[in-house]
PDB file of all heavy atoms in Angstrom:
ATOM      1  N   THR A  32     -35.204  -3.056  41.933  1.00  0.00           N
ATOM      2  CA  THR A  32     -36.635  -3.135  41.537  1.00  0.00           C
ATOM      3  C   THR A  32     -36.935  -4.426  40.877  1.00  0.00           C
ATOM      4  O   THR A  32     -38.029  -5.047  41.151  1.00  0.00           O
ATOM      5  CB  THR A  32     -36.889  -1.981  40.554  1.00  0.00           C
ATOM      6  OG1 THR A  32     -36.588  -0.690  41.169  1.00  0.00           O
ATOM      7  CG2 THR A  32     -38.382  -1.951  40.122  1.00  0.00           C
ATOM      8  N   LEU A  33     -36.055  -4.953  40.049  1.00  0.00           N
ATOM      9  CA  LEU A  33     -36.269  -6.217  39.415  1.00  0.00           C
ATOM     10  C   LEU A  33     -36.314  -7.327  40.458  1.00  0.00           C
ATOM     11  O   LEU A  33     -37.193  -8.232  40.361  1.00  0.00           O
ATOM     12  CB  LEU A  33     -35.146  -6.506  38.425  1.00  0.00           C
ATOM     13  CG  LEU A  33     -35.196  -7.904  37.730  1.00  0.00           C
ATOM     14  CD1 LEU A  33     -36.394  -7.999  36.820  1.00  0.00           C
ATOM     15  CD2 LEU A  33     -33.961  -8.103  36.906  1.00  0.00           C
ATOM     16  N   TRP A  36     -39.665  -7.126  42.293  1.00  0.00           N
ATOM     17  CA  TRP A  36     -40.802  -7.528  41.355  1.00  0.00           C
ATOM     18  C   TRP A  36     -40.801  -9.035  41.208  1.00  0.00           C
ATOM     19  O   TRP A  36     -41.874  -9.617  41.291  1.00  0.00           O
ATOM     20  CB  TRP A  36     -40.601  -6.834  40.045  1.00  0.00           C
ATOM     21  CG  TRP A  36     -41.761  -6.891  39.099  1.00  0.00           C
ATOM     22  CD1 TRP A  36     -42.334  -8.032  38.535  1.00  0.00           C
ATOM     23  CD2 TRP A  36     -42.537  -5.792  38.600  1.00  0.00           C
ATOM     24  NE1 TRP A  36     -43.394  -7.728  37.702  1.00  0.00           N
ATOM     25  CE2 TRP A  36     -43.506  -6.317  37.752  1.00  0.00           C
ATOM     26  CE3 TRP A  36     -42.469  -4.407  38.760  1.00  0.00           C
ATOM     27  CZ2 TRP A  36     -44.446  -5.536  37.036  1.00  0.00           C
ATOM     28  CZ3 TRP A  36     -43.379  -3.614  38.110  1.00  0.00           C
ATOM     29  CH2 TRP A  36     -44.362  -4.212  37.214  1.00  0.00           C
ATOM     30  N   LEU A 143     -32.362   4.637  29.986  1.00  0.00           N
ATOM     31  CA  LEU A 143     -33.149   4.223  28.830  1.00  0.00           C
ATOM     32  C   LEU A 143     -34.176   3.170  29.281  1.00  0.00           C
ATOM     33  O   LEU A 143     -33.939   2.370  30.208  1.00  0.00           O
ATOM     34  CB  LEU A 143     -32.251   3.591  27.780  1.00  0.00           C
ATOM     35  CG  LEU A 143     -31.318   4.514  27.023  1.00  0.00           C
ATOM     36  CD1 LEU A 143     -30.407   3.684  26.135  1.00  0.00           C
ATOM     37  CD2 LEU A 143     -32.202   5.458  26.165  1.00  0.00           C
ATOM     38  N   PRO A 144     -35.395   3.142  28.673  1.00  0.00           N
ATOM     39  CA  PRO A 144     -36.413   2.203  29.063  1.00  0.00           C
ATOM     40  C   PRO A 144     -35.921   0.733  29.101  1.00  0.00           C
ATOM     41  O   PRO A 144     -36.338  -0.069  29.857  1.00  0.00           O
ATOM     42  CB  PRO A 144     -37.492   2.410  28.051  1.00  0.00           C
ATOM     43  CG  PRO A 144     -37.364   3.842  27.614  1.00  0.00           C
ATOM     44  CD  PRO A 144     -35.845   4.063  27.612  1.00  0.00           C
ATOM     45  N   VAL A 145     -34.953   0.432  28.168  1.00  0.00           N
ATOM     46  CA  VAL A 145     -34.395  -0.914  28.092  1.00  0.00           C
ATOM     47  C   VAL A 145     -33.054  -1.006  28.806  1.00  0.00           C
ATOM     48  O   VAL A 145     -32.284  -1.941  28.554  1.00  0.00           O
ATOM     49  CB  VAL A 145     -34.296  -1.389  26.621  1.00  0.00           C
ATOM     50  CG1 VAL A 145     -35.657  -1.492  26.005  1.00  0.00           C
ATOM     51  CG2 VAL A 145     -33.391  -0.422  25.810  1.00  0.00           C
ATOM     52  N   GLY A 146     -32.737  -0.090  29.722  1.00  0.00           N
ATOM     53  CA  GLY A 146     -31.445  -0.021  30.339  1.00  0.00           C
ATOM     54  C   GLY A 146     -31.160  -1.270  31.165  1.00  0.00           C
ATOM     55  O   GLY A 146     -29.957  -1.584  31.416  1.00  0.00           O
ATOM     56  N   ILE A 147     -32.163  -2.014  31.554  1.00  0.00           N
ATOM     57  CA  ILE A 147     -31.926  -3.260  32.375  1.00  0.00           C
ATOM     58  C   ILE A 147     -31.026  -4.219  31.581  1.00  0.00           C
ATOM     59  O   ILE A 147     -30.306  -5.040  32.180  1.00  0.00           O
ATOM     60  CB  ILE A 147     -33.248  -3.912  32.766  1.00  0.00           C
ATOM     61  CG1 ILE A 147     -32.991  -5.029  33.839  1.00  0.00           C
ATOM     62  CG2 ILE A 147     -33.969  -4.397  31.596  1.00  0.00           C
ATOM     63  CD1 ILE A 147     -32.438  -4.571  35.128  1.00  0.00           C
ATOM     64  N   GLY A 339     -39.697  -6.832  18.645  1.00  0.00           N
ATOM     65  CA  GLY A 339     -39.722  -6.392  20.040  1.00  0.00           C
ATOM     66  C   GLY A 339     -38.327  -6.105  20.596  1.00  0.00           C
ATOM     67  O   GLY A 339     -38.237  -5.432  21.663  1.00  0.00           O
ATOM     68  N   PRO A 342     -35.716  -1.794  20.364  1.00  0.00           N
ATOM     69  CA  PRO A 342     -35.198  -0.798  21.357  1.00  0.00           C
ATOM     70  C   PRO A 342     -33.830  -1.242  21.899  1.00  0.00           C
ATOM     71  O   PRO A 342     -32.960  -0.462  22.134  1.00  0.00           O
ATOM     72  CB  PRO A 342     -36.268  -0.789  22.433  1.00  0.00           C
ATOM     73  CG  PRO A 342     -37.490  -1.139  21.711  1.00  0.00           C
ATOM     74  CD  PRO A 342     -37.084  -2.196  20.715  1.00  0.00           C
ATOM     75  N   ILE A 374     -37.185   9.708  35.577  1.00  0.00           N
ATOM     76  CA  ILE A 374     -36.995   8.731  34.466  1.00  0.00           C
ATOM     77  C   ILE A 374     -36.399   7.435  34.934  1.00  0.00           C
ATOM     78  O   ILE A 374     -36.734   6.341  34.479  1.00  0.00           O
ATOM     79  CB  ILE A 374     -36.168   9.356  33.360  1.00  0.00           C
ATOM     80  CG1 ILE A 374     -36.871  10.637  32.797  1.00  0.00           C
ATOM     81  CG2 ILE A 374     -36.002   8.390  32.185  1.00  0.00           C
ATOM     82  CD1 ILE A 374     -36.053  11.382  31.786  1.00  0.00           C
ATOM     83  N   ALA A 375     -35.439   7.549  35.878  1.00  0.00           N
ATOM     84  CA  ALA A 375     -34.830   6.362  36.430  1.00  0.00           C
ATOM     85  C   ALA A 375     -35.823   5.444  37.085  1.00  0.00           C
ATOM     86  O   ALA A 375     -35.767   4.203  36.953  1.00  0.00           O
ATOM     87  CB  ALA A 375     -33.647   6.737  37.372  1.00  0.00           C
ATOM     88  N   THR A 376     -36.690   6.019  37.877  1.00  0.00           N
ATOM     89  CA  THR A 376     -37.751   5.226  38.518  1.00  0.00           C
ATOM     90  C   THR A 376     -38.676   4.555  37.505  1.00  0.00           C
ATOM     91  O   THR A 376     -38.933   3.382  37.650  1.00  0.00           O
ATOM     92  CB  THR A 376     -38.557   6.142  39.466  1.00  0.00           C
ATOM     93  OG1 THR A 376     -37.704   6.745  40.425  1.00  0.00           O
ATOM     94  CG2 THR A 376     -39.604   5.361  40.194  1.00  0.00           C
ATOM     95  N   ALA A 377     -39.059   5.313  36.518  1.00  0.00           N
ATOM     96  CA  ALA A 377     -39.916   4.743  35.475  1.00  0.00           C
ATOM     97  C   ALA A 377     -39.209   3.605  34.719  1.00  0.00           C
ATOM     98  O   ALA A 377     -39.746   2.600  34.387  1.00  0.00           O
ATOM     99  CB  ALA A 377     -40.410   5.833  34.497  1.00  0.00           C
ATOM    100  N   SER A 378     -37.912   3.856  34.427  1.00  0.00           N
ATOM    101  CA  SER A 378     -37.119   2.866  33.693  1.00  0.00           C
ATOM    102  C   SER A 378     -36.974   1.587  34.526  1.00  0.00           C
ATOM    103  O   SER A 378     -37.033   0.486  33.976  1.00  0.00           O
ATOM    104  CB  SER A 378     -35.752   3.437  33.358  1.00  0.00           C
ATOM    105  OG  SER A 378     -34.907   2.453  32.786  1.00  0.00           O
ATOM    106  N   ALA A 379     -36.751   1.713  35.812  1.00  0.00           N
ATOM    107  CA  ALA A 379     -36.576   0.569  36.685  1.00  0.00           C
ATOM    108  C   ALA A 379     -37.885  -0.274  36.712  1.00  0.00           C
ATOM    109  O   ALA A 379     -37.854  -1.479  36.649  1.00  0.00           O
ATOM    110  CB  ALA A 379     -36.214   1.031  38.095  1.00  0.00           C
ATOM    111  N   LEU A 380     -39.017   0.430  36.825  1.00  0.00           N
ATOM    112  CA  LEU A 380     -40.304  -0.299  36.824  1.00  0.00           C
ATOM    113  C   LEU A 380     -40.576  -0.955  35.486  1.00  0.00           C
ATOM    114  O   LEU A 380     -41.010  -2.077  35.462  1.00  0.00           O
ATOM    115  CB  LEU A 380     -41.410   0.706  37.220  1.00  0.00           C
ATOM    116  CG  LEU A 380     -41.406   1.237  38.679  1.00  0.00           C
ATOM    117  CD1 LEU A 380     -42.386   2.353  38.807  1.00  0.00           C
ATOM    118  CD2 LEU A 380     -41.679   0.097  39.635  1.00  0.00           C
ATOM    119  N   TYR A 381     -40.279  -0.242  34.429  1.00  0.00           N
ATOM    120  CA  TYR A 381     -40.535  -0.799  33.075  1.00  0.00           C
ATOM    121  C   TYR A 381     -39.632  -1.998  32.858  1.00  0.00           C
ATOM    122  O   TYR A 381     -39.999  -3.045  32.315  1.00  0.00           O
ATOM    123  CB  TYR A 381     -40.330   0.219  32.013  1.00  0.00           C
ATOM    124  CG  TYR A 381     -40.509  -0.380  30.580  1.00  0.00           C
ATOM    125  CD1 TYR A 381     -41.803  -0.656  30.135  1.00  0.00           C
ATOM    126  CD2 TYR A 381     -39.425  -0.667  29.810  1.00  0.00           C
ATOM    127  CE1 TYR A 381     -41.953  -1.216  28.880  1.00  0.00           C
ATOM    128  CE2 TYR A 381     -39.591  -1.173  28.555  1.00  0.00           C
ATOM    129  CZ  TYR A 381     -40.830  -1.495  28.117  1.00  0.00           C
ATOM    130  OH  TYR A 381     -40.989  -2.048  26.885  1.00  0.00           O
ATOM    131  N   GLY A 382     -38.348  -1.899  33.277  1.00  0.00           N
ATOM    132  CA  GLY A 382     -37.410  -2.986  33.106  1.00  0.00           C
ATOM    133  C   GLY A 382     -37.857  -4.255  33.831  1.00  0.00           C
ATOM    134  O   GLY A 382     -37.744  -5.391  33.251  1.00  0.00           O
ATOM    135  N   ALA A 383     -38.318  -4.122  35.033  1.00  0.00           N
ATOM    136  CA  ALA A 383     -38.844  -5.283  35.801  1.00  0.00           C
ATOM    137  C   ALA A 383     -40.066  -5.859  35.127  1.00  0.00           C
ATOM    138  O   ALA A 383     -40.182  -7.073  35.009  1.00  0.00           O
ATOM    139  CB  ALA A 383     -39.163  -4.802  37.221  1.00  0.00           C
ATOM    140  N   PHE A 384     -40.980  -5.021  34.659  1.00  0.00           N
ATOM    141  CA  PHE A 384     -42.152  -5.500  33.913  1.00  0.00           C
ATOM    142  C   PHE A 384     -41.763  -6.232  32.687  1.00  0.00           C
ATOM    143  O   PHE A 384     -42.328  -7.279  32.357  1.00  0.00           O
ATOM    144  CB  PHE A 384     -43.116  -4.321  33.660  1.00  0.00           C
ATOM    145  CG  PHE A 384     -44.201  -4.620  32.694  1.00  0.00           C
ATOM    146  CD1 PHE A 384     -45.274  -5.318  33.067  1.00  0.00           C
ATOM    147  CD2 PHE A 384     -44.087  -4.207  31.382  1.00  0.00           C
ATOM    148  CE1 PHE A 384     -46.321  -5.613  32.179  1.00  0.00           C
ATOM    149  CE2 PHE A 384     -45.066  -4.499  30.489  1.00  0.00           C
ATOM    150  CZ  PHE A 384     -46.209  -5.219  30.856  1.00  0.00           C
ATOM    151  N   TRP A 385     -40.834  -5.624  31.954  1.00  0.00           N
ATOM    152  CA  TRP A 385     -40.435  -6.133  30.617  1.00  0.00           C
ATOM    153  C   TRP A 385     -39.803  -7.497  30.772  1.00  0.00           C
ATOM    154  O   TRP A 385     -40.132  -8.447  30.020  1.00  0.00           O
ATOM    155  CB  TRP A 385     -39.438  -5.133  30.010  1.00  0.00           C
ATOM    156  CG  TRP A 385     -39.051  -5.342  28.592  1.00  0.00           C
ATOM    157  CD1 TRP A 385     -39.888  -5.688  27.538  1.00  0.00           C
ATOM    158  CD2 TRP A 385     -37.773  -5.139  28.018  1.00  0.00           C
ATOM    159  NE1 TRP A 385     -39.174  -5.733  26.390  1.00  0.00           N
ATOM    160  CE2 TRP A 385     -37.895  -5.391  26.665  1.00  0.00           C
ATOM    161  CE3 TRP A 385     -36.543  -4.730  28.566  1.00  0.00           C
ATOM    162  CZ2 TRP A 385     -36.818  -5.290  25.779  1.00  0.00           C
ATOM    163  CZ3 TRP A 385     -35.500  -4.582  27.686  1.00  0.00           C
ATOM    164  CH2 TRP A 385     -35.609  -4.833  26.340  1.00  0.00           C
ATOM    165  N   LEU A 386     -38.845  -7.686  31.667  1.00  0.00           N
ATOM    166  CA  LEU A 386     -38.148  -8.953  31.837  1.00  0.00           C
ATOM    167  C   LEU A 386     -39.077 -10.029  32.368  1.00  0.00           C
ATOM    168  O   LEU A 386     -38.824 -11.174  32.191  1.00  0.00           O
ATOM    169  CB  LEU A 386     -36.923  -8.827  32.712  1.00  0.00           C
ATOM    170  CG  LEU A 386     -35.713  -8.084  32.120  1.00  0.00           C
ATOM    171  CD1 LEU A 386     -34.483  -8.366  32.982  1.00  0.00           C
ATOM    172  CD2 LEU A 386     -35.460  -8.489  30.711  1.00  0.00           C
ATOM    173  N   ASN A 387     -40.133  -9.661  33.077  1.00  0.00           N
ATOM    174  CA  ASN A 387     -41.067 -10.645  33.547  1.00  0.00           C
ATOM    175  C   ASN A 387     -42.126 -10.993  32.532  1.00  0.00           C
ATOM    176  O   ASN A 387     -43.092 -11.729  32.834  1.00  0.00           O
ATOM    177  CB  ASN A 387     -41.711 -10.186  34.857  1.00  0.00           C
ATOM    178  CG  ASN A 387     -40.827 -10.413  36.073  1.00  0.00           C
ATOM    179  OD1 ASN A 387     -40.838 -11.484  36.652  1.00  0.00           O
ATOM    180  ND2 ASN A 387     -40.050  -9.385  36.468  1.00  0.00           N
ATOM    181  N   GLY A 388     -42.053 -10.444  31.347  1.00  0.00           N
ATOM    182  CA  GLY A 388     -42.962 -10.814  30.244  1.00  0.00           C
ATOM    183  C   GLY A 388     -42.597 -12.156  29.641  1.00  0.00           C
ATOM    184  O   GLY A 388     -41.656 -12.815  30.031  1.00  0.00           O
TER     185      GLY A 388
END
Side-chain angles (χ1 to χ4, degrees):
T32 304
L33 177 65
W36 191 298
L143 288 173
V145 295
I147 190 64
I374 301 176
T376 303
S378 174
L380 292 170
Y381 178 75
F384 167 77
W385 190 40
L386 287 196
N387 278 276

